[in-house]
Amino acid sequence: MVKKTMEKGFKLILGSQSMARKRILAEMGYDFTIVTADIDEKAIRKDKPEDLVVAVAEAKANEIISKLGGESQFAQDHHHQPTLLITADTVVVYKGVIREKPTSKEEAREFIKGYSGSHGGVVGSVIVRNLQTGVRRGGWEKAEVYFHEIPEQVIDDLIDDAITFKVAGGLMLEHPLISPFIDSVMGGVDTVMGLPKELTQKFINDVL
């Protein structure tokens, strides 16, 4: 089977190492290469989570473009397929406070205990940029995750797992330890996992 990207006549770069984002984009039927951004996400501060996730995704895109030698390289390349760059960012919002990746075991415990019998919001951004034309589209989606009570032992086991420290709010829905304690998700599960599918597809269409 020929993947969509070849049929559609463009190349796709995913600016993320996230397993979940890779999986979502592959599920959408796309072939892509991965280029990661080395930015200090904590240096980017915004009061509103929606502004923060868009600003971080924008910073990732800029860093990747400069790593690839600047947009002008792609702009001159009219004979070839356009290259689209997708970047994204996700934060968890708990009781109005933005949560990024936990930085210590204590913080991770506090995060996960807070979700127990409660709920947390997820705000996820996506930016798609056509590197040949410079056209970009960006936006964000929200979802809310409701939890059953999470037992202490499960919390201990989650804190012992390194993956907990690689995800916003220490929250990974598909984690086998946490998934039994999810009551419901209002909004897109793909948004919670790190890449809102519909928005991504819309922006891909928009920038071509």
Side-chain angles (χ1 to χ4, degrees):
M1 172 190 138
V2 180
K3 289 278 181 89
K4 268 191 206 169
T5 5
M6 301 315 292
E7 294 163 21
K8 289 206 172 151
F10 60 87
K11 292 178 187 159
L12 207 49
I13 297 171
L14 175 64
S16 175
Q17 271 174 330
S18 150
M19 290 300 296
R21 287 188 188 123
K22 291 178 202 173
R23 196 172 62 243
I24 290 167
L25 202 53
E27 274 170 12
M28 289 170 69
Y30 289 116
D31 246 341
F32 51 90
T33 50
I34 288 165
V35 182
T36 56
D38 310 305
I39 61 163
D40 177 9
E41 293 185 22
K42 297 218 181 295
I44 300 168
R45 296 290 77 169
K46 300 278 180 197
D47 293 334
K48 288 175 66 181
E50 299 85 352
D51 295 342
L52 178 64
V53 290
V54 171
V56 171
E58 191 75 66
K60 287 178 183 175
N62 291 338
E63 148 76 9
I64 288 165
I65 288 165
S66 64
K67 195 186 260 186
L68 296 173
E71 218 158 7
S72 57
Q73 261 195 242
F74 296 91
Q76 294 152 3
D77 204 1
H78 289 303
H79 304 298
H80 291 88
Q81 300 174 327
T83 298
L84 307 191
L85 170 63
I86 297 176
T87 52
D89 189 51
T90 310
V91 293
V92 170
V93 182
Y94 179 75
K95 294 187 174 168
V97 178
I98 294 173
R99 290 183 163 182
E100 294 168 277
K101 298 177 182 86
T103 52
S104 66
K105 289 200 168 192
E106 293 70 38
E107 191 173 42
R109 179 180 299 280
E110 183 198 328
F111 280 7
I112 298 165
K113 270 182 97 91
Y115 305 134
S116 181
S118 183
H119 57 96
V122 178
V123 183
S125 67
V126 59
I127 290 177
V128 181
R129 194 180 314 199
N130 182 328
L131 300 182
Q132 195 177 59
T133 61
V135 174
R136 68 173 279 287
R137 291 284 178 275
W140 49 265
E141 286 276 348
K142 279 183 180 174
E144 194 77 25
V145 186
Y146 292 82
F147 295 88
H148 298 296
E149 296 289 334
I150 305 169
E152 273 311 315
Q153 184 57 55
V154 171
I155 296 175
D156 290 345
D157 292 345
L158 279 166
I159 290 164
D160 287 338
D161 190 336
I163 195 78
T164 297
F165 298 89
K166 292 182 182 157
V167 289
L171 180 58
M172 190 176 173
L173 284 200
E174 66 271 39
H175 197 294
L177 285 172
I178 202 92
S179 54
F181 301 101
I182 289 165
D183 181 10
S184 60
V185 178
M186 308 290 287
V189 171
D190 43 337
T191 298
V192 181
M193 303 237 183
L195 194 67
K197 272 187 191 177
E198 275 184 34
L199 213 52
T200 303
Q201 187 56 60
K202 180 184 183 315
F203 293 158
I204 288 172
N205 297 342
D206 285 351
V207 303
L208 283 169

